[in-house]
Amino acid sequence: ELEINVEELKQAYIQLEATREQLIHSERLAAMGQLAASIVHEINNPLMILIGYMDMTLMMKDQIPDEGHQYLNVARRHADSMIHLMQDILNFSRNQVIPFGSVEVNDVITHLVAFLGNILRKHITIEAEELGIGLPSVSGNAQQVQQVFTNILTNAADAMDNRGTVKIRSSCCSTLDVRSKMKEIDQHSAFSETEFESHLQDSRAFVCIEFSDDGPGIPDDVIADIFNPFFTTKPAGKGTGLGLSICRTIIERHQGNMLVKSKVGQGTTFIVVLPAAVKVE
């Protein structure tokens, strides 16, 4: 009985530590989100004025030399990049209420491959030939689910230096399957098993989407931080470090999880786990 009590105390302590770490993480995210939102507000207004004046100047084609026109176009493109950055920061900082509906994951993948494949075809190959038949619908927001998938694919293209293949698979998973995947992944997931436990009901079905690339892989000393806000391994000016943090927030709203398995030199696999809209009979 004493051994049982000691083991129960150990498990309670582990859960308490996990909860404490999650609270600290949430407080940090909230503070960073408030700071980021205030900075964006101060930057956005003068930025829009600059863009307006650049657009008006670009319309004066006959009054500026070709070289000046070229410089203005470069400046305008960088201004657009800043607008996208501002939007990413706002998406990260806001606790948005988004409309949910019935989402067919395979339809989102097929649409995304057709759209993004045309853009990335010269650089990488996207294969979506192993999509599960008869997958249950997911309760969620199709646009935000697509945003998560897009971020994973573009990150893969960047990691592979625009040379390689990404394979997409989708399947229906039971709670047991998800538990097994999380144990295999160990700590490399957006949410730990303790944090995700409330969603792992025995009668629940999940849709699992895997994105596997043949890139360089993620080093062990980096992979634990990839979901942290503002963490990036990209060169300065190439990434904000908010992409996967925003994905984490979106997946949390969908009561799902994101798992990552990677080995240096052998590629990386992201697994998006989303609860199905139906239960297992």
Side-chain angles (χ1 to χ4, degrees), residues 206-224:
F206 294 84
V207 175
C208 296
I209 309 95
E210 298 188 16
F211 300 82
S212 300
D213 68 54
D214 53 7
I218 305 173
D220 292 338
D221 60 341
V222 170
I223 197 168

Side-chain angles (χ1 to χ4, degrees), residues 41-280:
H41 179 73
E42 294 300 322
I43 293 176
N44 206 46
N45 288 337
L47 180 60
M48 293 306 296
I49 292 173
L50 287 172
I51 288 175
Y53 275 107
M54 280 189 282
D55 286 344
M56 286 190 293
T57 307
L58 284 169
M59 293 172 65
M60 302 164 58
K61 295 181 180 179
D62 298 333
Q63 301 180 40
I64 57 175
D66 290 342
E67 189 176 17
H69 201 270
Q70 181 181 352
Y71 291 157
L72 274 172
N73 274 319
V74 171
R76 185 65 175 82
R77 285 197 298 270
H78 282 282
D80 282 339
S81 297
M82 289 188 67
I83 289 293
H84 290 307
L85 170 59
M86 297 299 104
Q87 190 59 52
D88 281 348
I89 293 174
L90 284 177
N91 288 339
F92 171 73
S93 61
R94 288 174 179 165
N95 187 16
Q96 296 173 310
V97 177
I98 55 174
F100 272 28
S102 181
V103 179
E104 302 297 333
V105 169
N106 283 351
D107 290 346
V108 175
I109 294 172
T110 303
H111 171 76
L112 183 60
V113 170
F115 169 71
L116 204 57
N118 288 330
I119 299 173
L120 299 177
R121 184 174 293 130
K122 294 180 180 179
H123 308 290
I124 67 170
T125 301
I126 302 175
E127 298 179 358
E129 299 174 355
E130 297 183 39
L131 303 183
I133 299 174
L135 290 184
S137 301
V138 169
S139 177
N141 182 279
Q143 184 177 359
Q144 292 213 332
V145 170
Q146 180 174 307
Q147 183 178 350
V148 172
F149 295 173
T150 300
N151 188 272
I152 293 173
L153 287 170
T154 53
N155 279 353
D158 290 341
M160 293 188 293
D161 196 20
N162 292 324
R163 291 188 302 273
T165 301
V166 181
K167 294 184 178 181
I168 307 175
R169 304 177 182 86
S170 64
S171 61
C172 185
C173 300
S174 66
T175 295
L176 185 62
D177 295 330
V178 175
R179 287 185 190 276
S180 177
K181 289 179 184 294
M182 291 184 68
K183 282 184 169 55
E184 177 188 349
I185 296 299
D186 195 22
Q187 297 181 354
H188 306 320
S189 62
F191 303 97
S192 68
E193 189 170 354
T194 302
E195 295 165 340
F196 195 55
E197 183 61 37
S198 61
H199 303 310
L200 291 173
Q201 303 167 13
D202 291 340
S203 61
R204 202 162 199 179
F206 294 84
V207 175
C208 296
I209 309 95
E210 298 188 16
F211 300 82
S212 300
D213 68 54
D214 53 7
I218 305 173
D220 292 338
D221 60 341
V222 170
I223 197 168
D225 296 318
I226 61 174
F227 292 107
N228 291 337
F230 303 108
F231 177 84
T232 181
T233 58
K234 296 178 182 178
K238 295 293 185 181
T240 64
L242 285 174
L244 287 177
S245 295
I246 294 171
C247 290
R248 184 185 191 275
T249 300
I250 292 172
I251 294 301
E252 181 179 22
R253 291 170 184 160
H254 285 73
Q255 298 184 357
N257 203 351
M258 289 180 70
L259 317 178
V260 189
K261 57 181 179 180
S262 185
K263 194 167 184 179
V264 174
Q266 297 185 22
T268 300
T269 297
F270 275 85
I271 306 173
V272 178
V273 180
L274 295 170
V278 296
K279 292 187 175 182
V280 178

